[in-house]
Amino acid sequence: MRIAVYPGSFDPVTKGHLDIIKRASRTFDKVYVAILTNSSKTPMFSLEKRLEWLRRSTQDIENVEIDSFSGLLVNYLNEKDSNIIIKGLRAVSDFEYEFQMALMNRKLNPNVETLFMMTSGKYSYLSSSIVKEVARHKASLDGLVPDFMIEEITELIEKKS
Ligand code: PNS
């Protein structure tokens, strides 16, 4: 069975992430979408909320499972019997950081392969940071995240500011 792991902060999940999840689900038998800690970012939304949004957004995709983990990505892969990390690439600007992480993960476990999938062109401008920025300024989140999340994101960000 070909098992892949798609890791990230998903703060919040965007239509760009969901595009990658769908593509990965067609390529692998099983895809774990795992919320991990990025030590250089403090999340805006709780882990519970991020899990709930991911679960609801992917409920129709049978071979996708949403999960979270607090340690190293390579240890999570080990736990799930996988050696494949899926990452989405939007632009050349993503490359340097992703390249560094891919090499570090390979150093930590030489059996691990990082596979990059190109995001659909229409999402190439999209990121969780952009979504938060747009929401902070009360502009429309239409088309950036699934419709059911829009009101909740707007309310949660309003409460925080
Ligand atoms: O969506 P992000 O914030 O770009 O995702 C980054 C993430 C969470 C995948 C990355 O920070 C990560 O893998 N964190 C877990 C700790 C780890 O294994 N770090 C990489 C090797 S040092």
Side-chain angles (χ1 to χ4, degrees):
M1 188 146 114
R2 294 166 308 161
I3 306 169
V5 171
Y6 179 43
S9 310
F10 304 106
D11 186 44
V13 62
T14 69
K15 287 206 169 178
H17 293 131
L18 292 169
D19 176 54
I20 296 291
I21 292 171
K22 276 187 208 123
R23 286 169 198 280
S25 75
R26 293 189 211 116
T27 313
F28 294 93
D29 298 310
K30 173 98 193 180
V31 178
Y32 289 97
V33 179
I35 301 181
L36 278 100
T37 306
N38 181 338
S39 54
S40 59
K41 294 183 192 163
T42 307
M44 161 85 78
F45 302 108
S46 69
L47 175 62
E48 290 67 32
K49 217 4 102 198
R50 287 179 283 152
L51 283 167
E52 182 197 314
W53 282 337
L54 266 170
R55 286 206 175 104
R56 247 186 103 179
S57 314
T58 59
Q59 62 192 1
D60 296 335
I61 317 175
E62 231 172 62
N63 59 339
V64 167
E65 194 172 317
I66 309 302
D67 200 4
S68 66
F69 190 72
S70 57
L72 278 178
L73 178 55
V74 289
N75 292 343
Y76 180 75
L77 284 153
N78 212 17
E79 204 173 87
K80 295 298 171 195
D81 248 335
S82 170
N83 66 337
I84 296 167
I85 300 169
I86 301 287
K87 286 293 191 117
L89 273 190
R90 288 163 299 195
V92 180
S93 50
D94 282 341
F95 183 76
E96 204 166 302
Y97 169 67
E98 293 298 346
F99 186 59
Q100 190 182 15
M101 277 209 290
L103 291 184
M104 189 61 212
N105 285 320
R106 184 192 283 164
K107 182 171 162 48
L108 291 168
N109 181 348
N111 295 322
V112 162
E113 291 295 345
T114 302
L115 301 185
F116 293 101
M117 298 188 103
M118 296 301 295
T119 315
S120 161
K122 64 181 174 195
Y123 300 127
S124 60
Y125 63 92
L126 190 50
S127 69
S128 299
S129 311
I130 291 277
V131 167
K132 284 177 279 195
E133 182 69 7
V134 169
R136 242 180 249 123
H137 293 284
K138 301 186 172 59
S140 170
L141 293 179
D142 219 27
L144 310 188
V145 296
D147 289 346
F148 79 88
M149 288 168 54
I150 293 181
E151 213 178 294
E152 215 170 352
I153 291 183
T154 311
E155 271 169 24
L156 286 170
I157 287 195
E158 212 161 275
K159 260 192 229 156
K160 288 192 185 204
S161 53

